[in-house]
Amino acid sequence: GLGVDMMLDPADLEKSFAPGRNFATKLWNIGRFLLMQVGTEPVAAFAGLDPSAFRSADDWIIERLADAVEACDAALGPARPASGFWLPAERQSGLRLDEYSEAARRFVWNELADWYVEACKGRLLQPGPDREIARSILVHAFDQALRLLHPVMPFITESLWRRLPGHVEGSLLATASWPVTPSARTPATISFAVLQEAMQAIRQLRSDYAIPPAQIVTAHLIGPDALTSFVREERALFSRMARCEIADGAAPAGAAAHAVLQKGLELVLPLAGVVDLEKESAKIGNELGGLEKQLAALRGRLANEKFTSKAPPEVVESERAKEREWTTRAVQLHAKLKELGG
């Protein structure tokens, strides 16, 4: 990051270069996995695809790629002076290499690899037009990502780029054109981001209630018809990525976990038969009882003027931060007990 020194210890080169090595290894693994998913058959040119046939994940990754290119361009600044020579105010515009590297990394790691590749796995197993769209967009997105990363990772990006389907023999990534954003951008009204948020909510609930990763759960949706219909249309993808089936109809009465999402969408996860309600309630009750005792003692200390006036300011502020954190946790535990019927 900008302003952060990296210590290069000649006596321990392994430690000195570990961050860069890990960065390169991760990119190589992402690239090899993505290329394995795409296969070696010819891939349709991205420019020739019909956008009306795109799935929500396709529109989302194309939009995220455009955002990444814009972020990289803004961080680097203009390549040439607009007036033919650099004005004093322009000489240090851009050149935020840490922001540029992070924007490119985030797109490859967090968006392309973690979400889009995962969303495409099922499509790539079914021959047909939808498979070819997914293959083309995967190759296009990775091609553009390698162009963004090339200035900071020249050798490994060059090697991966040459392995892309359709690579022209003799062409070099080093001389390839820089990515550009579309002149007109019209983001979808309902985006794949809605599915993302719902999947993340289910994953968080699974973690909160220690539901085994392999166990499939069933959730119900409450909210605007357009949103609930959108999620149901992608129920196969939702089931595979979140290990959660989307049920039709209203949620049954009884203990249930709730996740309130944006745009008025709510997920309801019935807990009967999924977790041991009595055991889970007892565990949360014990944690809450201990936390409230600690919180009462902490609040008593903060209400004591002798403590707040004589203790170092940083100690007092640390205790106040702890009080805020513990209060938030207590509220969360009370909500969980209520969900469990306790």
Side-chain angles (χ1 to χ4, degrees), residues 307 311-320:
F307 171 74
E314 61 271 16
V315 172
V316 175
E317 181 51 39
S318 175
E319 293 292 271
R320 285 180 175 146

Side-chain angles (χ1 to χ4, degrees), residues 143 147 150 158 161 171-179:
D143 165 84
R147 296 178 193 227
H150 185 67
E158 187 78 61
W161 195 70
S171 63
L172 296 173
L173 177 56
T175 57
S177 61
W178 186 254

Side-chain angles (χ1 to χ4, degrees), residues 24-40 108 113 117 142 146 156 159-161 163-164:
T25 300
K26 178 74 172 177
L27 177 62
W28 181 257
N29 290 339
I30 288 172
R32 291 295 300 274
F33 182 75
L34 184 147
L35 293 171
M36 181 177 68
Q37 294 291 317
V38 168
T40 57
V108 179
V117 173
F142 195 52
L146 291 174
I156 192 169
S159 180
L160 287 168
W161 195 70
R163 288 169 165 77
L164 288 174

